[in-house]
Amino acid sequence: DTGVSQNPRHKITKRGQNVTFRCDPISEHNRLYWYRQTLGQGPEFLTYFQNEAQLEKSRLLSDRFSAERPKGSFSTLEIQRTEQGDSAMYLCASTEETTGAPNSPLHFGNGTRLTVT
Amino acid sequence: AQSVTQLGSHVSVSEGALVLLRCNYSSSVPPYLFWYVQYPNQGLQLLLKYTTGATLVKGINGFEAEFKKSETSFHLTKPSAHMSDAAEYFCAVTFTGGGNKLTFGTGTQLKVEL
């Protein structure tokens, strides 16, 4: 168990540019989640996958945001035409969901901190 | 809809003193409750969880929490604070059939002083 890995750890970009983040979950975990955390706030749910299927997207996820999880392994989160309001920590988490009951906790990566200038 | 309220965005205790971080939840269905800890520039680490069964749950690093349905609370405690406990603590809630999506509180920053 090598944990959830996120890359890059930090990203600085200019407004209007596109950025892409990667998340590698714990290998046997079938569910993968993306959260966004701004300063002084708790993480906010963005979207999640079960295997390769994207099951739910938050209203926070505008049409500039897209997430994929090809082959049910790693996931990418892309933000197009970044805005200063996109500056935040983007957290990825994974878990093994088997019974429908949330007995398995989410395991979080260390996040990607995005700064839009 | 579910929600979590953490009273006190900042809590300061002396080393060796009792730690009490408050969490109240709102849920129309039986909740599953979690406490996570976050150190600077890191992700969240699970401290403990309540799913079903025993209402007093013990976690890592000497923390424990008690689920009180009548008070809709899940407060986190530790008998004796250590300097290494200084971090931000988040309470979170989910429910069966909710996709295991967590709804987090706004967090409590714990400061431990000598």
Side-chain angles (χ1 to χ4, degrees), chain A residues 9 31 33 35 37 40-43 45 48 56 91 95 97 100 102-106 108-110, chain B residues 32 34 36 38 41-44 46 49 51 90 94-97 99-102 104-107:
Chain A
R9 289 295 311 275
R31 285 203 173 175
Y33 302 76
Y35 283 79
Q37 185 180 22
Q41 298 297 316
F45 169 76
Y48 85 98
E56 186 172 341
L91 294 165
T95 191
E97 173 63 35
N103 292 314
S104 299
L106 300 190
F108 283 84
N110 285 331
Chain B
Y32 288 66
F34 303 79
Y36 281 84
Q38 186 176 35
N41 296 313
Q42 292 189 23
L44 285 76
L46 179 69
K49 64 177 181 177
T51 54
F90 292 95
T94 188
F95 59 96
T96 299
N100 215 347
K101 303 188 311 290
L102 294 176
F104 286 89
T106 52

Side-chain angles (χ1 to χ4, degrees), chain A residues 34-38 41-47 54 56-66 77-79 83 85-86 88-90, chain B residues 102-104:
Chain A
W34 285 99
Y35 283 79
R36 180 172 67 189
Q37 185 180 22
T38 54
Q41 298 297 316
E44 296 174 297
F45 169 76
L46 293 179
T47 187
Q54 189 173 19
E56 186 172 341
K57 293 191 292 186
S58 163
R59 285 172 291 180
L60 292 175
L61 212 65
S62 77
D63 55 7
R64 295 184 299 105
F65 288 69
S66 63
L77 178 67
E78 181 184 16
I79 309 175
E83 302 173 355
D86 297 331
M89 174 81 88
Y90 290 84
Chain B
L102 294 176
T103 299
F104 286 89

Side-chain angles (χ1 to χ4, degrees), chain B residues 19 36-37 46 50-51 56 59 64 66 83 92-93 99 103 108 114:
Chain B
V19 175
Y36 281 84
V37 61
L46 179 69
Y50 168 77
T51 54
L56 180 64
E64 63 182 38
E66 187 171 10
M83 295 296 289
V93 64
T103 299
T108 297
L114 287 172

Side-chain angles (χ1 to χ4, degrees), chain B residues 31-107:
Chain B
Y32 288 66
L33 294 156
F34 303 79
W35 275 99
Y36 281 84
V37 61
Q38 186 176 35
Y39 297 97
N41 296 313
Q42 292 189 23
L44 285 76
Q45 179 184 6
L46 179 69
L47 279 177
L48 48 80
K49 64 177 181 177
Y50 168 77
T51 54
T52 57
T55 56
L56 180 64
V57 293
K58 296 185 184 297
I60 62 172
N61 301 339
F63 284 93
E64 63 182 38
E66 187 171 10
F67 171 63
K68 292 186 176 181
K69 184 178 178 180
S70 61
E71 298 177 8
T72 61
S73 68
F74 191 56
H75 301 330
L76 182 71
T77 60
K78 182 175 180 177
S80 177
H82 192 271
M83 295 296 289
S84 61
D85 294 327
E88 189 148 27
Y89 292 79
F90 292 95
C91 183
V93 64
T94 188
F95 59 96
T96 299
N100 215 347
K101 303 188 311 290
L102 294 176
T103 299
F104 286 89
T106 52

Side-chain angles (χ1 to χ4, degrees), chain B residues 11-17 81-86 110-114:
Chain B
V11 170
S12 183
V13 300
S14 300
E15 191 174 34
H82 192 271
M83 295 296 289
S84 61
D85 294 327
L110 176 65
K111 183 178 180 181
V112 182
E113 299 174 318
L114 287 172

